[in-house]
DNA sequence: AAAGTAAATGAAAATACTTTTCATTTGGAT
DNA sequence: ATCCAAATGAAAAGTATTTTCATTTACTTT
C-alpha cells in the first residue's frame, strides 16, 4: 500500500519537478524507513550514502512531498516538530508516549461527522487529524518495573 | 463551562504551586481571551498590565497549566508552535486555514473506537486529538473574489 | 510578626529549529 | 551541444524554546 520510489518520482516528474540525485536519496531514505522520522533524522540517514547533501535540501524536498501528499506530516503532542513517514493514503495514528513508536490505522470513517459540522458551521472542511496517544505494551511493563 | 481564575488558582494551590502575581496575570490573560493564542501573544497581553513579566515565566506557567489539563494545547498543521486556550474540558477543533480561527466542539464520542484499538494493539490509550481543517464561511467568499 | 526555606522569577546565554540569501551547479528541454 | 530556469548548499538570519544562575518571594514554621 505504500508508494515506491518509482511512483513518487513519477508524480514529481508529472508536476515538473526535476529529479535530482539529492531528491532521489531523500525519497529512498523515506521509503526505506517504516517509522515516522524528523527532518534531522532523515538528513543523517541520507547523509551516510550522500555525504554532502544539505539539511536545507531535506527541508525543501519534504515540503514538496508533503504538499503533493506523498508523505504524512505528523504533529504529535510532545515531540511536535513536524514528523513524516512514507504512508501517503489517509490514515490515523496511535502514538506511544514512552518509546515514540507510531502505528498507522485506517479504520473509522468521519465523513458523516464532517458533513454535519460543515452544515452547522458553514465551514468547507478539507481534512482532519485523528491521533490517539498512550503507552504500547512494552512501555506499560517498563512503567511497572521498580528498576 | 470554562474555568474561572478562582478555580484554576484553587487547583494550582491543591498541587502545592505558589500563587505568584505573575501566575495570576497569565491566568487572567488566558481566561479573558476566547481564542487560541501563542505563548508570545500571551506574553504581550500580560505584559501590558504587568510590564516586567518575562517570557520564560509564560512558558513555565503554560507548561504547568497544560500538564494539569487546565488549558488546551493545540498543534495545528500550519502554525504549529503549540497554541493554547482557556477551555479545559475535552473537545475537538475546527480550524480555518484562512483566518486561523478555531471553533471548539464536543460532539462525537470515540470511546468505542478507543476500546477496540486498545484491544487489538495492546496500547493503553490516554488521550486523543481530533481536529478538522478547512475554510470558514467568510474565508470561502474571499477566495472566490477576484480582487 | 519575624525568620527560614524551597520554589519561582527574569536576564542572559545556550540550544534548537527553520527560513532566507545568494553564488554556483545542473537537469532536462531544445 | 547549448541554454536557462530550477535546484543546491554554505552561510547568515530569523524564531522558538530551554537552561543557567543570582536574586526575590510565597508560604510554612516559629
Ligand atoms: Mn502516518
Ligand atoms: Mn481547544
Ligand atoms: Zn512504547
Ligand atoms: Zn476563516
Amino acid at each position: 500500500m505504500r508508494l515506491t520510489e518509482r511512483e513518487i518520482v513519477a508524480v514529481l516528474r508529472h508536476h515538473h519537478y526535476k529529479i535530482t540525485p539529492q531528491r532521489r536519496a531523500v525519497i529512498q531514505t523515506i521509503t526505506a524507513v517504516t517509522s515516522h522520522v524528523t527532518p534531522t533524522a532523515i538528513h543523517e540517514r541520507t547523509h551516510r550514502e550522500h555525504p554532502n547533501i544539505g539539511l536545507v535540501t531535506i527541508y525543501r524536498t519534504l515540503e514538496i512531498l508533503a504538499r503533493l501528499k506523498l508523505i504524512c506530516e505528523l504533529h504529535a503532542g510532545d515531540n511536535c516538530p513536524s514528523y513524516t513517514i512514507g504512508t501517503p493514503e489517509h490514515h490515523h495514528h496511535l502514538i506511544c508516549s514512552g518509546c515514540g513508536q507510531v502505528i498507522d490505522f485506517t479504520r473509522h470513517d468521519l465523513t458523516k461527522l464532517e458533513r454535519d459540522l460543515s452544515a452547522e458551521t458553514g465551514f468547507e472542511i478539507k481534512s482532519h487529524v485523528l491521533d490517539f496517544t498512550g503507552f504500547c505494551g512494552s512501555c506499560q511493563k517498563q512503567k511497572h518495573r521498580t528498576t
Side-chain angles (χ1 to χ4, degrees), chain A residues 17-74:
Chain A
Y17 288 107
K18 291 183 180 173
I19 308 305
T20 64
Q22 290 90 337
R23 284 180 179 166
R24 270 188 196 285
V26 172
I27 296 166
Q28 265 164 29
T29 300
I30 290 182
T31 51
V33 161
T34 54
S35 59
H36 285 242
V37 277
T38 59
T40 307
I42 293 171
H43 182 231
E44 278 162 9
R45 278 170 171 278
T46 310
H47 202 263
R48 289 178 207 156
E49 310 287 311
H50 210 282
N52 48 348
I53 191 172
L55 180 55
V56 220
T57 299
I58 307 291
Y59 276 105
R60 290 194 275 229
T61 305
L62 290 177
E63 207 223 315
I64 294 168
L65 296 177
R67 201 176 35 227
L68 298 178
K69 303 277 168 84
L70 297 170
I71 55 175
C72 154
E73 228 181 290
L74 176 62

Side-chain angles (χ1 to χ4, degrees), chain A residues 96 98-101 135-136 138-139:
Chain A
C96 176
C99 60
Q101 78 166 282
F135 291 92
C136 73
S138 54
C139 285

